[in-house]
Amino acid sequence: MGNWYETNQYCGRCGHRMVPDKTERALNCANCGHVEFPKIAPAVIVGVTHGDQILLTKFLSNYGYDKFALISGYNEIGETLADTVRREVKEEVGLSVRHITYFDSQPWGFSGALLVGFFAELDQAADIQLEKDELSAAKWFKRVDIPHDDTTASLSWTMIEAFRQGKMKH
């Protein structure tokens, strides 16, 4: 929220100073009456499964995170969350999925996002076609071989642990 307040000090319509609303989380322009609410960017996290295996990916080293995680990406305007799941999986690893099921969600304040987690089954076996501008690796792991992480703060690892323990919600 601090970042949102800092980047919305002036009205986008008339340029005058914005002031916090007294009753709700919003900023008001006393000059033109414009009201600005925080924007939330929906993003999906996808656990792609194939029997007792889950697909994990690694970002390129310049992203600053060198551990395996689930496929993720932002929702685009006019796209359903299920469409986002299908698109992100296709873009990042070249695979098609089916049976998309909601798992859970998590507000992610670092990027102003609402992370929405889904599990999806691999539609048909195919070779992984890695999106090399974003990812350095993608690999199938059996439940017993899934690497452990040192954090429990992310929805991604909550989902990975749920898969590892066979406790996925449907």
Side-chain angles (χ1 to χ4, degrees), residues 45-152:
I45 295 179
V46 188
V48 178
T49 64
H50 183 56
D52 71 339
Q53 297 180 91
I54 190 166
L55 182 65
L56 300 181
T57 63
K58 272 191 178 184
F59 288 110
L60 293 173
S61 60
N62 60 334
Y63 279 79
Y65 187 80
D66 190 36
K67 298 186 181 196
F68 278 102
L70 300 177
I71 291 172
S72 61
Y74 286 98
N75 177 256
E76 294 182 359
I77 291 174
E79 191 176 54
T80 69
L81 292 174
D83 288 341
T84 304
V85 166
R86 285 187 281 273
R87 178 181 53 78
E88 285 294 337
V89 172
K90 185 60 105 175
E91 285 178 1
E92 293 190 9
V93 292
L95 301 174
S96 297
V97 293
R98 63 180 178 188
H99 304 300
I100 299 167
T101 57
Y102 171 78
F103 178 79
D104 205 353
S105 63
Q106 176 185 23
W108 197 248
F110 303 109
S111 62
L114 173 64
L115 305 179
V116 186
F118 295 91
F119 280 101
E121 294 176 13
L122 180 66
D123 189 32
Q124 56 185 334
D127 290 336
I128 293 171
Q129 298 170 12
L130 193 64
E131 209 265 276
K132 294 183 174 155
D133 291 336
E134 189 173 332
L135 300 176
S136 66
K139 181 179 175 184
W140 291 102
F141 287 90
K142 291 187 176 198
R143 280 185 171 92
V144 297
D145 298 325
I146 296 171
H148 288 273
D149 194 8
D150 57 357
T151 180
T152 59

